[in-house]
């Protein structure tokens, strides 16, 4: 982006130098040259004002993207807090099992049956959640693949555009060399 903006600036500097070094012999030619200088300035300002509008639109989208990233980060932080609490609870359970072993009041046929039923009920919920998650994951993967394809296409376009920018830069430099020779006389 910096190179392309520098190219634009250099093009208009060259234009100004070209126009200012044109030999004039009549007032009509002077007026032509000066009107072309002004036209060049108007072209540059028109381009910049249109570009500023596009930059503003991009900035708005970036602000929205940043807000979405902040929201995502908050969600991740909340999930991490839940995981930390879950792990702490499980560590505590492990500690109790290590310290106390099997407690007779929790080791009865009725307690075992209740635990088995609770585990079975929970597994049914987990299976339903897993099915829903699998569908969502498949949709997300399809979107990710489409995004990857688009990103690769953009990458190719970016490299091609960069080559165009570099070629323009060479042409601008060649024009500048001709202008310098003209100025030297």
């Amino acid at each position: 982006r910096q190179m392309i903006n520098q190219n634009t600036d250099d093009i208009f500097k060259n234009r100004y130098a070209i126009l200012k070094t044109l030999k004039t012999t009549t007032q009509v030619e002077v007026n032509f040259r000066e009107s072309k200088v002004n036209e060049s300035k108007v072209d540059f300002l028109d381009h910049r004002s249109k570009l500023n509008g596009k930059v503003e639109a991009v900035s708005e989208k970036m602000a929205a993207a940043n807000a979405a990233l902040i929201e995502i980060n908050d969600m991740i932080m909340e999930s991490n807090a839940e995981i930390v609490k879950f792990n702490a609870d499980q560590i505590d359970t492990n500690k109790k099992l290590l310290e106390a072993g099997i407690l007779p009041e929790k080791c009865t046929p009725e307690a075992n049956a209740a635990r088995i039923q609770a585990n079975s009920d929970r597994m049914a919920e987990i299976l339903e959640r897993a099915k829903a998650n699998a569908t969502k994951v498949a949709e997300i993967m399809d979107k990710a693949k489409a995004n990857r394809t688009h990103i690769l296409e953009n990458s190719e376009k970016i490299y091609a555009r960069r080559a165009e920018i570099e070629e323009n830069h060479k042409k601008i430099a060649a024009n500048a060399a001709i202008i310098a020779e003209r100025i030297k006389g």
Side-chain angles (χ1 to χ4, degrees):
R1 178 71 124 181
Q2 189 173 6
M3 181 185 275
I4 200 168
N5 284 329
Q6 185 63 53
N7 281 355
T8 302
D9 290 344
D10 291 345
I11 288 167
F12 283 99
K13 286 177 186 173
N14 283 355
R15 174 91 43 84
Y16 182 79
I18 291 166
L19 292 169
K20 284 302 187 178
T21 60
L22 288 176
K23 303 291 184 223
T24 58
T25 55
T26 69
Q27 188 59 46
V28 172
E29 290 174 343
V30 170
N31 289 344
F32 168 82
R33 182 182 66 198
E34 294 307 313
S35 70
K36 291 298 281 181
V37 166
N38 288 334
E39 179 183 57
S40 178
K41 289 177 183 178
V42 170
D43 286 346
F44 180 78
L45 292 173
D46 184 50
H47 168 75
R48 283 292 183 203
S49 69
K50 288 175 182 173
L51 183 61
N52 287 344
K54 290 180 179 182
V55 168
E56 181 181 302
V58 168
S59 294
E60 283 182 31
K61 288 192 177 267
M62 287 296 291
N66 284 334
L69 290 172
I70 289 168
E71 183 180 345
I72 290 166
N73 191 50
D74 289 344
M75 292 170 69
I76 291 168
M77 289 171 53
E78 183 179 324
S79 292
N80 287 347
E82 290 174 14
I83 294 167
V84 168
K85 181 171 180 348
F86 175 83
N87 288 347
D89 291 346
Q90 299 313 306
I91 290 168
D92 189 50
T93 298
N94 288 351
K95 182 180 176 192
K96 288 176 183 174
L97 283 170
L98 285 170
E99 291 172 353
I102 296 175
L103 299 173
E105 65 272 10
K106 293 195 177 184
C107 183
T108 65
E110 296 80 17
N112 289 344
R115 191 174 309 102
I116 291 167
Q117 184 60 51
N119 287 343
S120 180
D121 293 345
R122 288 176 65 205
M123 281 306 300
E125 291 175 20
I126 291 167
L127 288 173
E128 286 303 312
R129 196 176 315 127
K131 286 178 191 174
N133 287 345
T135 301
K136 288 179 188 176
V137 167
E139 291 170 2
I140 291 168
M141 286 302 296
D142 289 343
K143 288 178 185 177
K145 287 176 186 175
N147 287 343
R148 183 176 190 273
T149 299
H150 189 75
I151 288 167
L152 290 174
E153 289 168 358
N154 278 353
S155 177
E156 291 172 11
K157 290 176 185 176
I158 287 167
Y159 284 114
R161 184 78 26 83
R162 181 168 179 81
E164 291 173 9
I165 292 166
E166 290 171 349
E167 187 60 31
N168 281 346
H169 186 71
K170 290 176 187 174
K171 291 175 182 177
I172 293 164
N175 282 345
I178 294 168
I179 294 165
E181 286 300 316
R182 266 194 194 173
I183 291 172
K184 283 191 332 189

